Amino acid sequence: MFAGRGSLIVLAVLLQGLVPAASVAAPPMQSSLEYSVKANYLVRFAAFIEWPARSFASSRSPVVICIAGRDPFNGALERATRAQTAHGRVLTVRRPATAEAAAGCHILYVGRRGGSLVPDPPGPLLIVTDAAVSSDRGMIHFVIDDDRVRFHIDLQAASQSRLSISSRLLNLALSVRGG
C-alpha cells in the first residue's frame, strides 16, 4: 500500500508530526483533531510492524487494531481504517472487554482504565499508550511535543514480544529505547 513515492511523502508528513495536534487541556474541537491524528498514526503503524506469521490464522486474516478502556477516538479510528491495508491485509477495529479477548489483537491502544485489558504475557502485540492517559509506556507512546502528536518507541519491549519495527518508523520517533 505504501509503495508509491507520493504515499511515502504523505506518510512521512504524518509520522513526523507535521500535522498540528491539540494539547491535553485543549477545547473539544482540538481534542477531536488530536485523536483523529492519533487514529491515523495507529493505522500507519501497521505497515511498519512485522508480526510473526503465526500471529494470523490465515493469509487472509486482518490486522486487528483494538482499543482497551475508554475510547477517545469518537469514530475516527473506524474512518481511518476504512479501505486501508497493511502487508496486504485489511484493517479492522475491535474493543475487547477482557484481556483474553485482547489476545486476538495485533495493535492495542490502551485508553483510560484499559491497563487491565492487556494480556499477560502480551505475546506478539504492539501496545500503544498515550501520555494524555497515563505516564505508563507501551512499545509506542504518544506525546504532544511542540503542539504536534509525536511518539517514543521502546524497541526492546517490541523485540521481547517478537515484533519487528521498521527502521523508517524508528527514525521518526522522538526517542528509541533499547536500540
Side-chain angles (χ1 to χ4, degrees):
M1 173 185 157
F2 294 103
R5 185 168 174 22
S7 57
L8 282 175
I9 292 169
V10 170
L11 175 65
V13 168
L14 279 174
L15 291 179
Q16 287 179 356
L18 297 178
V19 177
S23 67
V24 175
M29 186 144 189
Q30 287 181 330
S31 183
S32 68
L33 174 59
E34 175 184 339
Y35 282 97
S36 178
V37 171
K38 289 176 181 178
N40 281 296
Y41 271 121
L42 289 170
V43 168
R44 302 295 182 247
F45 290 158
F48 293 94
I49 306 297
E50 290 203 24
W51 289 267
R54 65 177 175 76
S55 300
F56 299 94
S58 75
S59 61
R60 300 180 64 86
S61 297
V63 173
V64 181
I65 302 173
C66 295
I67 303 167
R70 190 183 71 77
D71 180 354
F73 296 103
N74 197 27
L77 190 53
E78 283 80 359
R79 288 187 296 278
T81 59
R82 199 169 291 138
Q84 297 294 316
T85 62
H87 305 289
R89 299 174 183 279
V90 297
L91 303 174
T92 62
V93 178
R94 286 193 359 221
R95 290 166 183 78
T98 65
E100 293 77 24
C105 303
H106 298 99
I107 298 174
L108 182 67
Y109 173 86
V110 182
R112 291 201 197 303
R113 296 185 212 116
S116 64
L117 298 177
V118 177
D120 186 29
L125 172 64
L126 179 69
I127 299 171
V128 180
T129 53
D130 193 336
V133 173
S134 170
S135 62
D136 292 339
R137 288 184 171 204
M139 294 157 197
I140 296 180
H141 185 70
F142 285 129
V143 294
I144 301 298
D145 181 60
D146 196 25
D147 291 328
R148 291 175 179 15
V149 175
R150 302 293 305 273
F151 55 90
H152 299 278
I153 295 177
D154 186 335
L155 189 57
Q156 183 176 3
S159 294
Q160 288 173 347
S161 291
R162 299 173 310 282
L163 300 175
S164 177
I165 299 178
S166 167
S167 61
R168 295 189 314 184
L169 184 59
L170 295 173
N171 287 333
L172 297 174
L174 280 174
S175 69
V176 177
R177 286 186 185 174

